[in-house]
Amino acid sequence: MHRRTVLKGALATGLVTTLPRLATADPLTLTAAPGEAPLVVPDGPATKAWLYNGTAPGPVIRARQGDTLNVTVQNDLPEPTTVHWHGLRVPVSQDGMPFLSQPPIAPGDSFDYTLPLHDAGTFWYHPHVNSSEQVGRGLHGLLIVEEPPEIAARLQADREITWALDDWRLDNDAQIAPFGNRHDQSHGGRTGNVLTVNGTYLTRTLVRSGERLRLRICNVSNAQHFHLKFAPFDPWLISLDGHPVAPRKLGDSGVWLGAGQRADLILDIDMAPGTPARVIDDAYGPDRAFEVMTWEVSDEPPLREAPLGPPEALPPNPVAQPDLANAETHTLTFDGGAMGSMAEAMMEGKMLSIQELAQAGRFWSINGTVPAHLHDTEPLLRLALGKSHRITLENRTRWPHPIHLHGHSFQLTDPRAGNIATLRDTALLMPDETVEIALVADNPGKWMLHCHILEHQASGMMGVVEVA
Ligand code: C2O
Ligand code: CU
């Protein structure tokens, strides 16, 4: 079952940790600094990692929809950093894009972010400088924007659980393997060998018969995509990338989570104590399925006798609806990677052959171009402010790509199995797949669009979309 068992010695089967949390009432400071994380064995060799406030993942930040969140980010890393608030529709100056929206925070310096919280939902935060390494060393955390309590109460959840799903590449001493691997960049990204839930390997979650859980799941891994199955439970899917969907049973289809994506589920523990149940990931096929974590149903008497009815739908977030009939249309084509057909691409105004690109550490292009630096690159697209736009995303590679746009949430106009309808901030494009997204360009600025496989981003699969 466990394809990720390269580590020698006894493996932990720890309970899923409840992460430290920061509420808006606290003074919010996130300090990024080197430290140690007990990823694999609670009292075994600790992994040298980079941490927010001493933990990986960092604290769960919780705030209320409609509030303004103020966070001071202190950089105690040996290199510059920023923090990007993934999925929050904030002004460009607060978005954490290096050079595009702010100078990187130098070691020893800090930056104050002011974040208006328009949308309720499950979001997350992570650095946007040297992302493959900084995120891969442990810098990431969940950011929960709560609905007003009377709305959340409609879900009738007894308890809320957050899971940061991560995938680490560790050596036999549980230390993080080196970064900058060209094979990762040109293939499927930095996939790992140890899967953690909230920073712990092979976890159990203690639950009680009859209880209803609200589960907020975020894929914080560098490159891994997950296809989660919950049988014998059949949870309700209630939200994707922070945006509510009409509650629907997952059934046999499970839920896909590309890097950066989130899903909220309502899960009724309709099982007797002692019944085994696990969450399985079979993104790479049923014969390569492995365990994400195990449920442990306690001996306590059931919390309720009769099962609860379906959860009520949450109200939509205030995202403008694009006018599909009158939208401007655009296309972005993604090329490159191993086994691809990209022969050349433009970089800094010069056409480079695939060999020259590889020498420059670039393996991917968007619309035939590769940015040298973000801040002086020509925008891939210019979207007229306040107008509706339909953008065709064409994956001409042999690899899946979770494509993320900053500053906006978009609709998938042709939802498929992997990307159920509704609003998203990250669209998982399967190999050779084309999808269309639509949005109202209502947040002015120069925004990043990139693959959330962070090694793809670093090696060319990124660009700028200007809204003006
Ligand atoms: Cu979650 Cu540009 O990133
Ligand atoms: Cu990619």
Side-chain angles (χ1 to χ4, degrees), residues 84 86 124 126 128 404 406 450 452:
H84 169 57
H86 183 123
W124 65 298
H126 63 78
H128 226 298
H404 173 48
H406 286 220
H450 63 89
H452 224 288

Side-chain angles (χ1 to χ4, degrees), residues 71-277:
V71 187
T72 299
V73 172
Q74 170 68 35
N75 180 12
D76 289 344
L77 298 171
E79 61 181 46
T81 194
T82 61
V83 174
H84 169 57
W85 315 93
H86 183 123
L88 292 189
R89 299 183 297 128
V90 299
V92 74
S93 62
Q94 306 303 306
D95 193 59
M97 299 176 288
F99 306 108
L100 229 43
S101 64
Q102 68 173 94
I105 311 167
D109 279 2
S110 66
F111 189 91
D112 296 331
Y113 290 94
T114 303
L115 311 167
L117 304 174
H118 304 300
D119 302 329
T122 303
F123 304 98
W124 65 298
Y125 60 92
H126 63 78
H128 226 298
V129 177
N130 189 19
S131 306
S132 164
E133 179 164 358
Q134 293 195 9
V135 176
R137 287 195 184 280
L139 293 172
H140 40 68
L142 268 66
L143 196 167
I144 309 299
V145 183
E146 295 172 343
E147 309 86 11
E150 63 278 10
I151 289 178
R154 296 182 196 161
L155 298 172
Q156 295 181 277
D158 300 304
R159 206 149 61 93
E160 184 176 301
I161 292 182
T162 55
W163 285 353
L165 290 191
D166 204 356
D167 174 46
W168 304 74
R169 188 180 293 175
L170 303 183
D171 66 18
N172 284 346
D173 298 315
Q175 297 311 312
I176 297 173
F179 289 84
N181 177 322
R182 292 198 166 196
H183 186 276
D184 292 342
Q185 293 175 350
S186 55
H187 290 70
R190 181 183 169 95
T191 49
N193 51 12
V194 172
L195 184 141
T196 60
V197 179
N198 295 349
T200 313
Y201 182 52
L202 288 182
T203 46
R204 293 173 293 137
T205 298
L206 198 58
V207 292
R208 179 173 175 182
S209 184
E211 77 174 328
R212 170 171 278 190
L213 305 175
R214 179 179 191 171
L215 193 51
R216 298 180 182 263
I217 310 174
C218 177
N219 178 355
V220 302
S221 69
N222 279 42
Q224 195 68 257
H225 40 278
F226 297 104
H227 184 228
L228 302 179
K229 297 270 191 73
F230 291 81
F233 297 120
D234 189 8
W236 299 91
L237 177 70
I238 58 163
S239 149
L240 288 167
D241 290 357
H243 295 289
V245 299
R248 43 168 285 174
K249 289 273 196 180
L250 280 186
D252 290 333
S253 56
V255 64
W256 280 98
L257 285 179
Q261 292 185 317
R262 288 89 62 211
D264 284 20
L265 305 176
I266 289 290
L267 194 146
D268 291 312
I269 307 296
D270 46 8
M271 298 193 24
T275 325

Side-chain angles (χ1 to χ4, degrees), residues 400-401 451 453 456 461:
H401 303 286
C451 179
I453 292 179
H456 291 179
M461 200 174 269

